[in-house]
Amino acid sequence: MTDRFGIVGGGVLGLGLALRLSALGHEVTVIDQADEIGGLASAWRIGDVTWDRHYHVTLATDDHLLALLEEIGLADEIEWHHTRTGVFAQGRLHSVSTPLELLRFPPLGLIDKVRLAATLVYAGRVRDWRRLESVPVATWLRRWSGRRTFDTFWRPLLESKLGEAYRDTSAAFIWATIQRLTAARRRGMTDETFGNVTGGYGRVFERFHQVLVERGVGFRLGSVVERVRRTGDAITIGLAGGETLEFDKVVVTAASPIAARMCEGLEPEETARLEAVRYLGIVCPSVLVRSELPDFYVTNITDPGLPFTGVINMAALVGDFDGASLVYLPRYVDPSSPLFEESDAAIEADFLAGLRRVFPQVAESDVIATRTSRVRAVMAVPALNYSDRVPTIETSVPGLYLASSANIINGTLNVNETLQLADRALELMT
Ligand SMILES: Cc1cc2nc3c(=O)[nH]c(=O)nc-3n(C[C@H](O)[C@H](O)[C@H](O)COP(=O)(O)OP(=O)(O)OC[C@H]3O[C@@H](n4cnc5c(N)ncnc54)[C@H](O)[C@@H]3O)c2cc1C
């Protein structure tokens, strides 16, 4: 039997579901508040450059993503690059791109480095992540790497990925991160190799949209969903402005607190679970800059006092943008952070001053353009014992499903994991 499916959210998850559902013969409509598809991975314009609003790379082990690119005809457009990683520590830049360089990393003593290496090897070998879920990540890393290595190396990295929320995060988070980054090595690949589709995610979504339209998927972009509820045999979506759309089944892919607000008729326990998911937000200025920067794709920051928690130089991955570098300066923060209320100009002035501390060669006159992305609900904090509290995809309202990155329990936030989640949700919905 074929159903009429409404998908709230045209990000990777919504589009992945649309592809599968349309292949099964269902009638599918994707609804998104934005004027273009792609969500967190969408492209935008900065100066004369169109590139991802947030930085993205593909790993050679991202099997679900690579299969999708094959399916939509982009497999030939993937480029692979060797990349290098830096750390800004004690006021200096260090390369930590190879195990040997990591061993030379001056802020750590020899014993600290041995313990750090042992932690990485051990985490790469652990198979049962559930045991790690009840241990705070800071406790686990202090135990394996020692207090000094934790304070000088791990804590700044945790803060860079999780802000203050690292204190409530389980050791399963660092396990999943190390597993993702070492998967390529376990498959026998030796170098750090990252990939991207030529043209970035803008190109991916342009082609994805084309394929979905050819398969009969409908799009309602620029449409804010305010309400989702069951009325008789149908699920009704109420849009801002008063229009309603009717479907047999609806899947909401927006973040849990947003889903809790829009969905009516859920059991109080279901709503409470959705509202209890703690999220991290991001404030991420991008800067198009004329100076030549070191060829680190990621420069992690361990020095305190900088407004951002890492520097991502996209030019080190994909080459320069007409002679310029495209740099991202992310800061992961609590959704209630006062940073969300600050003006773009104030944020950009502060972050640019920080960029010049890391790369003094960047003159003010080198800055061609800046643009700041802010998202309050980017990822669910991988909290202690999260798998016991994760919201369910099936709901008590027949025909209403809720799937989002909050349903990723033993992985990190990435496109490959999101596509795996789409397959898991699909099984429950069809
Ligand atoms: C800074 C950053 C760096 C990243 N780097 C990488 C990387 O290197 N590699 C990698 O693989 N992944 C990376 N990711 C992760 C990747 O972007 C996500 O995994 C993926 O985009 C999640 O897709 P999604 O569909 O689950 O969510 P989203 O993209 O958030 O989609 C949800 C959609 O719902 C829509 N929506 C919400 N509320 C409403 C409403 N009321 N009405 C209508 N529509 C609504 C939103 O507009 C949005 O389009 C990164 C993410 C960030 C933020």
Side-chain angles (χ1 to χ4, degrees), residues 154-235:
W154 287 117
R155 194 178 40 182
L157 290 185
L158 289 176
E159 282 172 344
S160 80
K161 262 300 187 196
L162 300 161
E164 276 303 298
Y166 87 85
R167 296 177 198 279
D168 300 329
T169 298
S170 84
F173 168 78
I174 203 72
W175 172 84
T177 306
I178 293 171
Q179 287 283 324
R180 176 164 164 80
L181 293 175
T182 55
R185 291 214 162 86
R186 285 199 305 280
R187 283 197 199 171
M189 302 167 207
T190 47
D191 287 318
E192 181 174 278
T193 303
F194 288 150
N196 69 290
V197 168
T198 317
Y201 267 90
R203 169 74 184 128
V204 174
F205 290 123
E206 177 193 42
R207 180 70 194 132
F208 209 164
H209 183 256
Q210 212 177 355
V211 169
L212 290 170
V213 169
E214 279 163 18
R215 292 198 185 174
V217 172
F219 285 87
R220 292 292 308 257
L221 300 179
S223 303
V224 178
V225 173
E226 285 189 334
R227 243 179 16 260
V228 181
R229 66 169 165 225
R230 182 140 198 110
T231 38
D233 285 343
I235 304 272

Side-chain angles (χ1 to χ4, degrees), residues 334-398:
D334 190 86
S336 65
S337 164
L339 213 49
F340 285 106
E341 310 308 330
E342 276 191 35
S343 69
D344 283 359
I347 291 174
E348 287 160 13
D350 192 26
F351 281 51
L352 277 172
L355 179 66
R356 280 196 292 275
R357 233 179 92 192
V358 181
F359 301 132
Q361 67 269 44
V362 176
E364 217 158 301
S365 57
D366 288 336
V367 175
I368 303 166
T370 49
R371 197 166 174 188
T372 296
S373 169
R374 310 159 193 237
V375 187
R376 281 189 199 258
V378 167
M379 63 175 265
V381 174
L384 290 171
N385 300 314
Y386 182 66
S387 62
D388 296 339
R389 294 185 271 144
V390 63
T392 54
I393 294 176
E394 274 179 305
T395 71
S396 59
V397 177

Side-chain angles (χ1 to χ4, degrees), residues 35-90:
D35 291 330
E36 62 288 303
I37 57 172
L40 290 173
S42 59
W44 70 2
R45 228 172 145 67
I46 166 166
D48 288 335
V49 170
T50 299
W51 203 263
D52 308 4
R53 159 187 183 192
H54 304 116
Y55 45 95
H56 282 82
V57 290
T58 301
L59 270 54
T61 45
D62 283 347
D63 296 336
H64 287 74
L65 172 55
L66 295 174
L68 171 78
L69 295 175
E70 176 86 45
E71 193 172 342
I72 63 175
L74 290 180
D76 293 343
E77 295 183 32
I78 308 171
E79 308 164 7
W80 296 101
H81 315 270
H82 296 304
T83 54
R84 290 172 17 115
T85 302
V87 175
F88 184 71
Q90 299 174 345

Side-chain angles (χ1 to χ4, degrees), residues 125-139:
R125 293 210 173 133
V126 170
R127 289 286 159 266
D128 181 10
W129 58 271
R130 274 181 200 275
R131 274 190 307 124
L132 300 180
E133 241 206 341
S134 56
V135 185
V137 66
T139 307

Side-chain angles (χ1 to χ4, degrees), residues 8-14 31-34 38-41 54-58 62 65 180 201 223-226 253-254 258 262 282 297 332 378 404-405 413-416 418:
V8 179
V12 171
L13 182 53
I31 305 135
D32 202 296
Q33 61 194 3
L40 290 173
H54 304 116
Y55 45 95
H56 282 82
V57 290
T58 301
D62 283 347
L65 172 55
R180 176 164 164 80
Y201 267 90
S223 303
V224 178
V225 173
E226 285 189 334
T253 69
I258 301 172
M262 75 174 58
I282 195 170
Y297 173 62
Y332 285 89
V378 167
S404 73
S405 59
L413 180 74
N414 61 69
V415 170
N416 194 59
T418 303

